[in-house]
Amino acid sequence: TPAPTPTPAPSAEEMAGKQFLEDFTRGMATLLNRYKLASWAYASNLTDHNMQLQLQAAVEMATYQKQQWQQLVQFPWRSFQNRDTRRQFEVIADLGMATLPPERFQQLGRLIGQMQGTYSTAKVCDYHNRTKCNLSLEPELVQLLAHSGDADELRHAWVEWRRASGEKVRGLFEQYVAISNEAAALNNYTDLSGLWLKAYETPNFREELQRLWEQMQPLYQQLHAYVRRHLRMRYGDAEVTQQGPIPAHLLGNMWSQTWEGIYQFSKPFPNAQATDATPKMQEQNYTPLRMFRLAEEFFTSLNLSAMPRVFWERSIIEKPADREIVCHASAWDFGDGQDFRIKQCTRVDMKDLYVVHHEMGHVQYFLQYKDQPLIFRRGANPGFHEAVGDVMALSVSTPKHLRKVGLLGAGDASQSSQTALNHLYHTALQKVAFLPFGYLMDLWRWDVFSGRIAPSEYNCRWWRLREEYQGLEPPVDRTEEDFDPGAKYHIISSVPYIRYFVSSVLQFQIHRALCLEAGEFDPNDANKPLHNCDIHGSVAAGEKLKAMLRLGNSRPWPEALEAVTGSRHMDASGLLDYFRPLKQWLEEENQRNGENVGWVPSTRVCVATREELAILRSRNSTDSAFTRTASTEP
Ligand SMILES: CC(=O)N[C@@H](CC(=O)O)C(=O)NC[C@H](CC1(C(=O)N[C@@H](Cc2ccc(O)cc2)C(=O)O)CCCC1)C(=O)O
Ligand SMILES: [Zn+2]
């Protein structure tokens, strides 16, 4: 065999390129750390002063990036020999918003800061006591949506939250879209969606996503039909029709994005053991700190990293009483390889135990790739970053594991198959219900950025997607004076969302691979079904996951996925394997009850103005479509 052709010595230009990367990284590390600290200061104390300081740090970093970019584009980096050098250039070649002129960049930062401020401080009046107007999203409205059970109170909270948040930021959002598209154009993209999708390095990525959705849609429709029946039984025919979409305010969540809030009254086997750890957590006086320690122990049981001391010193894990903060949970990497934190207004319940694992999954990824070059300290793609904690939570949420940690009673062995179905259903209310929402969020935004959805139709196109993919309808008619997408954190914070849909697929592929590695799942052994797998304590599984996490995004994501699952492709088989027993049961149950799977068009309307709506309603006041509880007032 001929001697392998030696890689030619790197050219002088490539040597200079390598030097540029080292200099850029050194300068960037300082400014990034300063920017992160200023962002944390604002997010954990929402004052104008802190917003100004954050903005200033952002401008300093962007100015540096832009100035470095002038040099960067001089290098013929696409022809460099060294794979890592070439890839680092590729990753930073798009500087995103930093390519904007400073005053435009500042304006963009101010717009997002204002939208976040409005969202995080929005208050709503109590339905029963209209003088009490201090209800925040977290924890008051989140808890109300999950536990109220009163359709009128739910409708009130649903409508009033949107009036206090989304409606107020429509103008700011329109300006944000315009400036963001300018930045995309400066990076040679037609609009922001191109810049956002670059992180997935996948040709025809959108077709891939549509294919995955179509594979999973039948399972979603079965769940939707079953849930609609139980909501009809609980709230009556006036609220929930036999064949129509489900009204969005009844699903236990402000955005109807996950439905675990309706588990208690809709679980398949009411007499079998419930699979919710909340009662035992509260019985045992769990604290947020104990929840975080429990999650940390899961990671260290796999021989992954413990949280560093600074994490415990600087994280915020409870909502402070003395100031306004961004309560939306988040995990932070301060770019210095030492400072990592979580900010979470933790509540002692199973939902937040899941969130703790999710956030700590981000920190575990930060810790595993902290020795990579700064530019490679990211997820293999953003979906991977969202999947780490969820993979852990899939093990933690099994009845087997909850019993192991004392958060579920012994249970009656004769009911084990019913308990298993209750658990599968509970997990489906979080994971399967989420799929169409995780998909449509950026379907709407990509079309907004491209101009296919104009500002004059923002809200009605949103509801078209909500009906088409989720089979939902608003609890009251909507107009373009509303701006319901703006009532969702990621929309007003400019945080891409398709990462969560990608994570929903990847996490079951990764879970299945780790369960095989841990000997917890065997496709040929009915006693080792995938939904009962708990990888806790499996160092073998941990080592496999660690090998992937340590890569950061130094290698294309198919390689990272292959390191764990042996496959280079996203595919829905992991999720479909996991939920197969539930899908079977739902099909039989829906058949038994004569439930129609799918939905007929909604009778709710979405028109341009409230005035138009009033005219429409008065003219058709006899028309049945409008007699359905159209008003929000008692
Ligand atoms: C500095 C910074 O911002 N860091 C990033 C992490 C990083 O990029 O390094 C970060 O912390 N982002 C916050 C975000 C928080 C949560 C979230 O927003 N979740 C989505 C989607 C979803 C919904 C249901 C579900 O079951 C699972 C996910 C939502 O609630 O809509 C809240 C609850 C869980 C995760 C997060 O952790 O992803
Ligand atoms: Zn996350």
Side-chain angles (χ1 to χ4, degrees), residues 12 37 48 64 67 69 115 125 156 198 212 245 264 290 307 316 352 357 370 374 390 404 473 485 562 571 588:
L37 288 169
D48 283 344
Y64 174 77
Q67 172 236 336
W69 193 47
M115 290 195 286
C125 300
H156 168 83
K198 183 209 169 193
L212 290 168
Q264 285 316 332
R290 188 168 170 198
M307 298 296 117
I316 294 175
D352 268 22
H357 284 83
K370 68 181 173 55
L374 185 69
D390 282 19
K404 198 168 154 183
E473 64 181 9
E562 189 175 37
D571 81 67
E588 289 156 12

mmCIF file of all heavy atoms in Angstrom, residues 12 37 48 64 67 69 115 125 156 198 212 245 264 290 307 316 352 357 370 374 390 404 473 485 562 571 588:
data_model
loop_
_atom_site.group_PDB
_atom_site.id
_atom_site.type_symbol
_atom_site.label_atom_id
_atom_site.label_comp_id
_atom_site.label_asym_id
_atom_site.label_seq_id
_atom_site.Cartn_x
_atom_site.Cartn_y
_atom_site.Cartn_z
ATOM 1 N N ALA A 12 2.125 29.394 5.743
ATOM 2 C CA ALA A 12 2.349 30.550 6.625
ATOM 3 C C ALA A 12 1.005 31.165 6.989
ATOM 4 O O ALA A 12 0.761 31.532 8.134
ATOM 5 C CB ALA A 12 3.214 31.573 5.895
ATOM 6 N N LEU A 37 -21.510 37.940 33.312
ATOM 7 C CA LEU A 37 -21.701 38.413 34.692
ATOM 8 C C LEU A 37 -22.726 39.545 34.705
ATOM 9 O O LEU A 37 -23.613 39.595 35.554
ATOM 10 C CB LEU A 37 -20.363 38.877 35.288
ATOM 11 C CG LEU A 37 -19.376 37.752 35.630
ATOM 12 C CD1 LEU A 37 -17.989 38.320 35.954
ATOM 13 C CD2 LEU A 37 -19.880 36.909 36.802
ATOM 14 N N ASP A 48 -33.295 49.019 35.781
ATOM 15 C CA ASP A 48 -32.819 49.687 34.556
ATOM 16 C C ASP A 48 -31.306 49.820 34.574
ATOM 17 O O ASP A 48 -30.637 49.635 33.554
ATOM 18 C CB ASP A 48 -33.470 51.075 34.431
ATOM 19 C CG ASP A 48 -34.914 50.953 33.938
ATOM 20 O OD1 ASP A 48 -35.238 49.840 33.421
ATOM 21 O OD2 ASP A 48 -35.698 51.891 34.090
ATOM 22 N N TYR A 64 -15.762 44.262 19.791
ATOM 23 C CA TYR A 64 -14.536 43.471 19.652
ATOM 24 C C TYR A 64 -14.705 42.433 18.544
ATOM 25 O O TYR A 64 -13.878 42.298 17.643
ATOM 26 C CB TYR A 64 -14.221 42.784 20.983
ATOM 27 C CG TYR A 64 -13.052 41.832 20.925
ATOM 28 C CD1 TYR A 64 -11.734 42.305 20.915
ATOM 29 C CD2 TYR A 64 -13.262 40.446 20.851
ATOM 30 C CE1 TYR A 64 -10.671 41.434 20.849
ATOM 31 C CE2 TYR A 64 -12.191 39.572 20.778
ATOM 32 C CZ TYR A 64 -10.907 40.060 20.775
ATOM 33 O OH TYR A 64 -9.846 39.180 20.705
ATOM 34 N N GLN A 67 -14.685 43.996 15.078
ATOM 35 C CA GLN A 67 -13.336 44.469 14.712
ATOM 36 C C GLN A 67 -12.469 43.265 14.344
ATOM 37 O O GLN A 67 -11.769 43.247 13.332
ATOM 38 C CB GLN A 67 -12.799 45.251 15.921
ATOM 39 C CG GLN A 67 -11.376 45.671 15.849
ATOM 40 C CD GLN A 67 -10.621 45.134 17.066
ATOM 41 O OE1 GLN A 67 -11.219 44.863 18.111
ATOM 42 N NE2 GLN A 67 -9.326 44.963 16.894
ATOM 43 N N TRP A 69 -13.591 40.505 13.170
ATOM 44 C CA TRP A 69 -14.192 39.902 11.974
ATOM 45 C C TRP A 69 -13.517 40.453 10.713
ATOM 46 O O TRP A 69 -13.314 39.723 9.744
ATOM 47 C CB TRP A 69 -15.680 40.208 11.991
ATOM 48 C CG TRP A 69 -16.513 39.421 11.032
ATOM 49 C CD1 TRP A 69 -16.473 38.077 10.808
ATOM 50 C CD2 TRP A 69 -17.523 39.925 10.174
ATOM 51 N NE1 TRP A 69 -17.394 37.721 9.874
ATOM 52 C CE2 TRP A 69 -18.059 38.831 9.461
ATOM 53 C CE3 TRP A 69 -18.034 41.204 9.940
ATOM 54 C CZ2 TRP A 69 -19.091 38.978 8.533
ATOM 55 C CZ3 TRP A 69 -19.066 41.332 9.004
ATOM 56 C CH2 TRP A 69 -19.574 40.232 8.315
ATOM 57 N N MET A 115 -38.636 43.750 26.362
ATOM 58 C CA MET A 115 -39.629 42.671 26.250
ATOM 59 C C MET A 115 -39.478 41.706 27.413
ATOM 60 O O MET A 115 -40.449 41.271 28.029
ATOM 61 C CB MET A 115 -39.483 41.946 24.908
ATOM 62 C CG MET A 115 -39.914 42.781 23.705
ATOM 63 S SD MET A 115 -40.161 41.806 22.209
ATOM 64 C CE MET A 115 -38.466 41.458 21.741
ATOM 65 N N CYS A 125 -54.809 40.290 37.674
ATOM 66 C CA CYS A 125 -55.708 40.367 38.823
ATOM 67 C C CYS A 125 -56.379 39.026 39.065
ATOM 68 O O CYS A 125 -56.634 38.271 38.137
ATOM 69 C CB CYS A 125 -56.798 41.413 38.564
ATOM 70 S SG CYS A 125 -56.116 43.055 38.300
ATOM 71 N N HIS A 156 -60.013 33.221 32.386
ATOM 72 C CA HIS A 156 -59.636 34.563 32.843
ATOM 73 C C HIS A 156 -58.119 34.690 32.901
ATOM 74 O O HIS A 156 -57.529 35.613 32.341
ATOM 75 C CB HIS A 156 -60.231 34.815 34.236
ATOM 76 C CG HIS A 156 -59.682 36.033 34.916
ATOM 77 N ND1 HIS A 156 -60.162 37.296 34.673
ATOM 78 C CD2 HIS A 156 -58.664 36.166 35.813
ATOM 79 C CE1 HIS A 156 -59.479 38.178 35.408
ATOM 80 N NE2 HIS A 156 -58.566 37.510 36.110
ATOM 81 N N LYS A 198 -28.092 27.394 11.006
ATOM 82 C CA LYS A 198 -26.692 27.039 10.734
ATOM 83 C C LYS A 198 -26.153 26.105 11.795
ATOM 84 O O LYS A 198 -25.370 25.194 11.509
ATOM 85 C CB LYS A 198 -25.851 28.311 10.690
ATOM 86 C CG LYS A 198 -24.390 28.046 10.328
ATOM 87 C CD LYS A 198 -23.470 29.054 10.932
ATOM 88 C CE LYS A 198 -22.028 28.613 10.787
ATOM 89 N NZ LYS A 198 -21.129 29.413 11.637
ATOM 90 N N LEU A 212 -39.795 13.662 10.611
ATOM 91 C CA LEU A 212 -39.857 13.167 12.000
ATOM 92 C C LEU A 212 -41.245 13.431 12.575
ATOM 93 O O LEU A 212 -41.862 12.571 13.200
ATOM 94 C CB LEU A 212 -38.791 13.853 12.852
ATOM 95 C CG LEU A 212 -37.347 13.462 12.557
ATOM 96 C CD1 LEU A 212 -36.383 14.414 13.252
ATOM 97 C CD2 LEU A 212 -37.090 12.026 12.996
ATOM 98 N N PRO A 245 -61.266 21.015 18.113
ATOM 99 C CA PRO A 245 -59.965 21.180 18.779
ATOM 100 C C PRO A 245 -60.172 21.326 20.289
ATOM 101 O O PRO A 245 -61.285 21.616 20.737
ATOM 102 C CB PRO A 245 -59.418 22.479 18.185
ATOM 103 C CG PRO A 245 -60.213 22.713 16.941
ATOM 104 C CD PRO A 245 -61.562 22.138 17.208
ATOM 105 N N GLN A 264 -53.699 13.872 37.018
ATOM 106 C CA GLN A 264 -54.445 13.304 38.146
ATOM 107 C C GLN A 264 -55.829 12.808 37.747
ATOM 108 O O GLN A 264 -56.232 11.719 38.125
ATOM 109 C CB GLN A 264 -54.585 14.354 39.273
ATOM 110 C CG GLN A 264 -53.300 14.609 40.087
ATOM 111 C CD GLN A 264 -52.545 13.341 40.471
ATOM 112 O OE1 GLN A 264 -53.104 12.251 40.619
ATOM 113 N NE2 GLN A 264 -51.236 13.460 40.597
ATOM 114 N N ARG A 290 -32.223 20.164 48.552
ATOM 115 C CA ARG A 290 -32.199 18.697 48.566
ATOM 116 C C ARG A 290 -32.514 18.154 47.170
ATOM 117 O O ARG A 290 -31.947 17.140 46.739
ATOM 118 C CB ARG A 290 -33.223 18.181 49.580
ATOM 119 C CG ARG A 290 -33.116 16.678 49.776
ATOM 120 C CD ARG A 290 -33.904 16.175 50.972
ATOM 121 N NE ARG A 290 -33.957 14.710 50.970
ATOM 122 C CZ ARG A 290 -34.835 14.023 51.678
ATOM 123 N NH1 ARG A 290 -35.710 14.650 52.460
ATOM 124 N NH2 ARG A 290 -34.853 12.705 51.626
ATOM 125 N N MET A 307 -21.164 18.973 40.981
ATOM 126 C CA MET A 307 -21.184 20.430 40.769
ATOM 127 C C MET A 307 -20.031 21.031 41.572
ATOM 128 O O MET A 307 -19.810 20.660 42.722
ATOM 129 C CB MET A 307 -22.519 21.013 41.235
ATOM 130 C CG MET A 307 -23.725 20.496 40.473
ATOM 131 S SD MET A 307 -23.678 20.964 38.733
ATOM 132 C CE MET A 307 -23.582 19.368 37.919
ATOM 133 N N ILE A 316 -28.773 30.652 42.245
ATOM 134 C CA ILE A 316 -29.995 31.126 42.924
ATOM 135 C C ILE A 316 -31.033 30.044 42.690
ATOM 136 O O ILE A 316 -31.405 29.807 41.533
ATOM 137 C CB ILE A 316 -30.487 32.463 42.324
ATOM 138 C CG1 ILE A 316 -29.457 33.574 42.608
ATOM 139 C CG2 ILE A 316 -31.853 32.840 42.885
ATOM 140 C CD1 ILE A 316 -29.796 34.904 41.938
ATOM 141 N N ASP A 352 -40.813 20.469 39.017
ATOM 142 C CA ASP A 352 -39.555 21.198 39.213
ATOM 143 C C ASP A 352 -38.386 20.269 39.501
ATOM 144 O O ASP A 352 -37.245 20.631 39.255
ATOM 145 C CB ASP A 352 -39.710 22.258 40.294
ATOM 146 C CG ASP A 352 -40.117 23.598 39.679
ATOM 147 O OD1 ASP A 352 -40.665 23.575 38.567
ATOM 148 O OD2 ASP A 352 -39.872 24.648 40.292
ATOM 149 N N HIS A 357 -33.199 18.607 37.023
ATOM 150 C CA HIS A 357 -32.371 17.678 36.242
ATOM 151 C C HIS A 357 -32.061 18.257 34.864
ATOM 152 O O HIS A 357 -30.938 18.143 34.359
ATOM 153 C CB HIS A 357 -33.087 16.330 36.094
ATOM 154 C CG HIS A 357 -33.041 15.496 37.324
ATOM 155 N ND1 HIS A 357 -33.940 15.666 38.363
ATOM 156 C CD2 HIS A 357 -32.193 14.507 37.714
ATOM 157 C CE1 HIS A 357 -33.651 14.808 39.319
ATOM 158 N NE2 HIS A 357 -32.606 14.087 38.962
ATOM 159 N N LYS A 370 -15.428 21.801 29.172
ATOM 160 C CA LYS A 370 -14.755 23.056 29.584
ATOM 161 C C LYS A 370 -13.290 23.108 29.157
ATOM 162 O O LYS A 370 -12.685 24.176 29.107
ATOM 163 C CB LYS A 370 -14.876 23.275 31.091
ATOM 164 C CG LYS A 370 -14.124 22.303 31.965
ATOM 165 C CD LYS A 370 -14.351 22.626 33.429
ATOM 166 C CE LYS A 370 -13.768 21.588 34.361
ATOM 167 N NZ LYS A 370 -12.342 21.316 34.164
ATOM 168 N N LEU A 374 -12.439 27.548 23.544
ATOM 169 C CA LEU A 374 -13.654 28.317 23.866
ATOM 170 C C LEU A 374 -14.716 28.158 22.770
ATOM 171 O O LEU A 374 -15.891 27.972 23.041
ATOM 172 C CB LEU A 374 -13.291 29.797 24.021
ATOM 173 C CG LEU A 374 -14.406 30.730 24.472
ATOM 174 C CD1 LEU A 374 -14.806 30.454 25.916
ATOM 175 C CD2 LEU A 374 -13.979 32.187 24.330
ATOM 176 N N ASP A 390 -32.700 15.765 30.245
ATOM 177 C CA ASP A 390 -33.937 14.997 30.038
ATOM 178 C C ASP A 390 -33.672 13.495 30.022
ATOM 179 O O ASP A 390 -34.501 12.706 30.475
ATOM 180 C CB ASP A 390 -34.601 15.423 28.711
ATOM 181 C CG ASP A 390 -35.343 16.746 28.847
ATOM 182 O OD1 ASP A 390 -35.045 17.487 29.804
ATOM 183 O OD2 ASP A 390 -36.216 17.044 28.022
ATOM 184 N N LYS A 404 -36.860 3.701 44.723
ATOM 185 C CA LYS A 404 -35.471 3.516 45.183
ATOM 186 C C LYS A 404 -35.039 4.725 46.045
ATOM 187 O O LYS A 404 -34.325 4.593 47.023
ATOM 188 C CB LYS A 404 -34.570 3.411 43.946
ATOM 189 C CG LYS A 404 -33.193 2.806 44.144
ATOM 190 C CD LYS A 404 -32.605 2.518 42.747
ATOM 191 C CE LYS A 404 -31.102 2.516 42.722
ATOM 192 N NZ LYS A 404 -30.577 2.315 41.335
ATOM 193 N N GLU A 473 -57.627 25.240 20.155
ATOM 194 C CA GLU A 473 -58.286 26.501 19.782
ATOM 195 C C GLU A 473 -58.202 27.439 20.975
ATOM 196 O O GLU A 473 -58.081 26.972 22.120
ATOM 197 C CB GLU A 473 -59.752 26.271 19.409
ATOM 198 C CG GLU A 473 -60.605 25.766 20.562
ATOM 199 C CD GLU A 473 -62.067 25.514 20.159
ATOM 200 O OE1 GLU A 473 -62.387 25.560 18.955
ATOM 201 O OE2 GLU A 473 -62.876 25.278 21.069
ATOM 202 N N PRO A 485 -48.170 34.946 20.588
ATOM 203 C CA PRO A 485 -46.799 34.413 20.635
ATOM 204 C C PRO A 485 -45.923 35.164 21.645
ATOM 205 O O PRO A 485 -45.055 34.587 22.279
ATOM 206 C CB PRO A 485 -46.293 34.614 19.205
ATOM 207 C CG PRO A 485 -47.523 34.671 18.368
ATOM 208 C CD PRO A 485 -48.558 35.322 19.220
ATOM 209 N N GLU A 562 -23.298 9.257 16.915
ATOM 210 C CA GLU A 562 -22.794 7.902 16.619
ATOM 211 C C GLU A 562 -21.980 7.372 17.799
ATOM 212 O O GLU A 562 -22.055 6.194 18.141
ATOM 213 C CB GLU A 562 -21.925 7.955 15.365
ATOM 214 C CG GLU A 562 -21.510 6.604 14.827
ATOM 215 C CD GLU A 562 -20.737 6.727 13.507
ATOM 216 O OE1 GLU A 562 -19.957 7.699 13.376
ATOM 217 O OE2 GLU A 562 -20.951 5.884 12.631
ATOM 218 N N ASP A 571 -33.708 9.805 14.485
ATOM 219 C CA ASP A 571 -34.898 9.098 14.036
ATOM 220 C C ASP A 571 -35.849 8.873 15.191
ATOM 221 O O ASP A 571 -35.431 8.786 16.345
ATOM 222 C CB ASP A 571 -34.545 7.819 13.282
ATOM 223 C CG ASP A 571 -34.220 6.678 14.205
ATOM 224 O OD1 ASP A 571 -35.141 6.208 14.910
ATOM 225 O OD2 ASP A 571 -33.058 6.287 14.247
ATOM 226 N N GLU A 588 -56.905 1.192 21.477
ATOM 227 C CA GLU A 588 -58.016 0.348 21.925
ATOM 228 C C GLU A 588 -59.021 1.181 22.714
ATOM 229 O O GLU A 588 -60.227 1.117 22.480
ATOM 230 C CB GLU A 588 -57.491 -0.805 22.789
ATOM 231 C CG GLU A 588 -56.720 -1.851 22.013
ATOM 232 C CD GLU A 588 -55.743 -2.646 22.891
ATOM 233 O OE1 GLU A 588 -55.847 -2.527 24.142
ATOM 234 O OE2 GLU A 588 -54.873 -3.332 22.331
#
